[in-house]
């Protein structure tokens, strides 16, 4: 959220990759948790939700960015209405493409509109950056979001139904861990992913401190 | 119990299909505001109140939209209604109950982005509840949100005193706790004879 990039910085790869890893919306910023947990009981659902979110995120942020000089700061609600328009479009598009998918995702397609990720990016990034950068950043964020959804969906589908994208993975001796498909599984799998990410981060900082200390000792030896 | 009786709708939204722990709605405040029991309590009061107001107004606007055959505007009008309901509640509170406003004031804008509120409005439309059923549903959902967030706040206050490994900082442990809570709530599944 604390994206304080001034609007005259050039468009770099960093703008794109920030959302993918360093500022991953789910694992690092904890934004948009509701759809993350609710629809990730299979990889297909996760991908569909990710694609829908990318579409809404990119389109609404682009529009907010284009209109950023016209919209006064006080009326935040306009951003909501822009988002709601695109969500209604996605809702009808998914309904037209696949009714099964529409029924599986249920009300959560319409609930994209209150996904804090989208409004947060519209407020924190799109309302102060140029169109090109906004689109690239939104694409990165959206892909990061999808990546997180697939991480969760993959684990839950594998453990809960022993399939991946509908293909059987484990042999029939495997007793499916049904609770993973149910609500508690979503919370627990996300908790475990967060633990993993915390561990990775901690290992990185310890390594950096160790490297600095090693540098200091070599310098001391050289000077003495 | 009749599946469309008022008491069943209330209990269903309150315990069986708890909004936070079974439907994953309203997770942002659930993680964000559950550090202390007092703030959690204020937050849940504000949420119940806004849920009730926005659910009843959503019921009204849905009738208007159906009359003019404009269902595709539903989402946009619900959003507008919730945002303005929150504004209205804020202003009314400021005028008539300043004490309550001071306690709840900062939480009210947060509630606008709470997906549980929009969730109530959408679900009651999908299930075609009548007015009284909407009231029971919104009160049950609000009470369920309050119950979940209070339980979580109690657990987290205890955890403050515990000696934890470093990697469980931030939200990681809250998620696992929520998972265990959610598993407990699955025990309510058979309540009322109908299941979910």
């Amino acid at each position: 959220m604390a994206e304080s990039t001034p609007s005259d910085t050039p468009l770099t790869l960093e703008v794109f990759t920030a959302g993918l890893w360093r500022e991953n919306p789910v694992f690092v910023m904890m934004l948009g948790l509701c759809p993350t947990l609710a629809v990730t009981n299979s990889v297909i659902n996760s991908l569909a939700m990710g694609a829908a979110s990318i579409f809404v995120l990119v389109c609404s942020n682009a529009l907010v960015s284009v209109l950023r000089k016209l919209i006064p700061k006080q009326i935040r609600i306009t951003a909501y209405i822009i988002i709601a328009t695109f969500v209604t479009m996605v809702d009808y598009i998914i309904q037209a493409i696949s009714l099964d998918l529409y029924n599986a995702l249920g009300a959560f397609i319409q609930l994209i509109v209150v996904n804090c990720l989208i409004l947060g990016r519209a407020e924190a990034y799109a309302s102060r950056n140029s169109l090109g950068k906004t689109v690239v950043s939104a694409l990165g964020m959206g892909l990061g979001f999808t990546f997180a959804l697939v991480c969760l969906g993959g684990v839950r589908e594998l453990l809960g139904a022993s399939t991946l994208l509908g293909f059987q993975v484990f042999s029939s001796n495997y007793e499916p861990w049904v609770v993973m498909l149910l609500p508690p599984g979503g919370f627990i799998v996300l908790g475990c992913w967060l633990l993993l990410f915390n561990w990775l981060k901690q290992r990185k900082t310890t390594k950096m401190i160790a490297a600095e200390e090693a540098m200091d000792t070599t310098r001391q030896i050289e000077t003495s | 119990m009749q599946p469309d009786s008022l008491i069943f709708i209330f209990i269903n939204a309150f315990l069986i299909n708890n909004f936070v722990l079974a439907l994953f709605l309203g997770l942002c405040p659930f993680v964000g505001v559950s550090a202390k029991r007092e703030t959690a309590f204020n937050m849940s009061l504000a949420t119940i109140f806004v849920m009730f107001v926005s659910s009843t107004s959503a019921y009204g606007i849905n009738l208007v939209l159906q009359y003019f055959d404009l269902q595709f505007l539903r989402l946009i009008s619900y959003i507008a209604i919730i945002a303005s309901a929150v504004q209205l509640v804020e202003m009314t509170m400021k005028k008539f109950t300043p004490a309550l406003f001071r306690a709840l004031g900062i939480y009210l804008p947060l509630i606008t982005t709470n997906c549980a509120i929009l969730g109530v409005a959408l679900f009651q439309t999908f299930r075609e509840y009548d007015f009284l059923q909407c009231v029971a549903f919104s009160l049950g959902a609000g009470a369920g949100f309050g119950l979940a967030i209070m339980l979580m706040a109690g657990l987290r206050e205890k955890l403050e005193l515990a000696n934890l490994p470093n990697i469980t900082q931030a939200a990681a442990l809250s998620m696992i706790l929520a998972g265990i809570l959610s598993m407990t709530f699955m025990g309510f599944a058979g309540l009322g004879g109908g299941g979910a």
Side-chain angles (χ1 to χ4, degrees):
Chain A
M1 285 286 270
E3 189 75 28
S4 56
T5 334
S7 45
D8 51 348
T9 49
L11 176 60
T12 54
L13 196 64
E14 175 62 22
V15 177
F16 179 69
T17 52
L20 273 180
W21 187 257
R22 197 168 45 81
E23 290 177 22
N24 187 292
V26 176
F27 293 137
V28 181
M29 299 204 294
M30 306 291 294
L31 287 174
L33 287 181
C34 313
T36 311
L37 290 169
V39 301
T40 52
N41 47 17
S42 75
V43 180
I44 294 284
N45 287 357
S46 312
L47 281 174
M49 190 63 188
S53 303
I54 291 179
F55 176 77
V56 176
L57 187 64
V58 171
C59 294
S60 59
N61 277 9
L63 203 57
V64 168
S65 170
V66 169
L67 297 175
R68 71 183 187 280
K69 300 229 168 68
L70 293 174
I71 304 175
K73 270 263 175 280
Q74 292 83 358
I75 35 174
R76 203 174 285 193
I77 196 167
T78 44
Y80 261 132
I81 288 176
I82 291 172
I83 297 170
T85 314
F86 287 111
V87 172
T88 312
M89 277 163 65
V90 166
D91 192 50
Y92 282 101
I93 293 172
I94 293 184
Q95 215 169 342
I97 295 175
S98 160
L99 203 59
D100 287 340
L101 203 60
Y102 181 77
N103 290 333
L105 296 179
F108 282 93
I109 303 171
Q110 304 207 355
L111 284 170
I112 295 178
V113 78
V114 275
N115 189 333
C116 349
L117 168 67
I118 295 171
L119 190 72
R121 293 311 290 174
E123 288 229 332
Y125 201 87
S127 60
R128 23 188 118 123
N129 285 286
S130 63
L131 178 63
K133 263 169 68 185
T134 305
V135 169
V136 171
S137 158
L139 216 54
M141 277 285 162
L143 285 175
F145 185 64
T146 315
F147 165 70
L149 288 184
V150 172
C151 279
L152 274 159
V155 173
R156 287 179 72 185
E157 194 183 337
L158 193 64
L159 294 178
S162 79
T163 57
L164 209 56
L165 276 166
F167 296 106
Q168 194 77 26
V169 176
F170 297 139
S171 71
S172 52
N173 290 332
Y174 177 78
E175 186 70 40
W177 205 2
V178 184
V179 76
M180 281 298 156
L181 294 181
L182 297 171
F187 283 117
I188 291 172
V189 172
L190 179 61
C192 293
W193 275 110
L194 288 174
L195 285 180
L196 179 72
F197 273 79
N198 280 348
W199 179 68
L200 286 176
K201 207 160 75 183
Q202 204 180 35
R203 207 178 60 160
K204 205 172 146 195
T205 22
T206 355
K207 260 189 188 164
M208 264 164 65
I209 292 168
E212 271 172 25
E213 274 171 2
M215 285 271 283
D216 283 347
T217 33
T218 42
R219 216 173 288 145
Q220 274 166 9
I221 293 164
E222 276 168 13
T223 45
S224 60
Chain B
M1 244 189 288
Q2 291 292 317
D4 52 353
S5 71
L6 293 183
I7 188 97
F8 181 77
I9 289 174
F10 180 83
I11 290 182
N12 190 20
F14 180 44
L15 293 174
I16 305 173
N17 282 319
N18 185 288
F19 260 56
V20 180
L21 297 171
L23 299 178
F24 302 112
L25 293 169
L27 283 179
C28 304
F30 180 67
V31 176
V33 203
S34 64
K36 281 208 189 87
R37 254 182 303 175
E38 203 194 328
T39 46
F41 183 70
N42 289 342
M43 180 70 183
S44 42
L45 275 190
T47 308
I48 295 175
F49 194 57
V50 175
M51 235 178 219
F52 176 69
V53 173
S54 60
S55 154
T56 43
S57 10
Y59 177 77
I61 200 81
N62 192 40
L63 286 186
V64 177
L65 289 181
Q66 267 173 354
Y67 183 76
F68 290 109
D69 208 16
L70 289 172
Q71 275 94 336
F72 60 92
L73 285 179
R74 195 187 280 151
L75 194 60
I76 296 178
S77 31
Y78 280 4
I79 287 291
I81 278 193
I82 290 170
S84 30
V86 171
Q87 281 283 312
L88 205 68
V89 167
E90 205 175 344
M91 285 190 293
T92 325
M93 261 190 187
K94 208 173 186 174
K95 180 90 175 100
F96 293 108
T97 53
L100 194 62
F101 178 75
R102 271 195 298 279
L104 302 184
I106 48 164
Y107 303 110
L108 285 171
L110 275 179
I111 291 176
T112 324
T113 46
N114 185 341
C115 41
I117 310 276
L118 185 67
V120 168
L122 287 176
F123 282 135
Q124 73 182 24
T125 319
F126 289 151
R127 297 181 192 165
E128 295 172 350
Y129 284 158
D130 63 26
F131 184 72
L132 279 179
Q133 286 173 326
C134 284
V135 172
F137 184 58
S138 66
L139 289 180
F145 176 81
L147 178 69
I149 200 171
M150 288 293 289
L151 284 173
M152 191 67 189
L155 286 171
R156 279 179 71 174
E157 276 189 357
K158 290 270 182 243
L159 276 183
E160 294 270 298
L161 306 170
N163 194 5
L164 294 169
N166 272 340
I167 56 164
T168 56
Q169 59 189 335
L173 198 62
S174 312
M175 278 299 140
I176 292 176
L177 271 183
I180 296 168
L181 267 182
S182 160
M183 234 184 268
T184 326
F185 268 68
M186 275 171 66
F188 290 117
L191 202 68

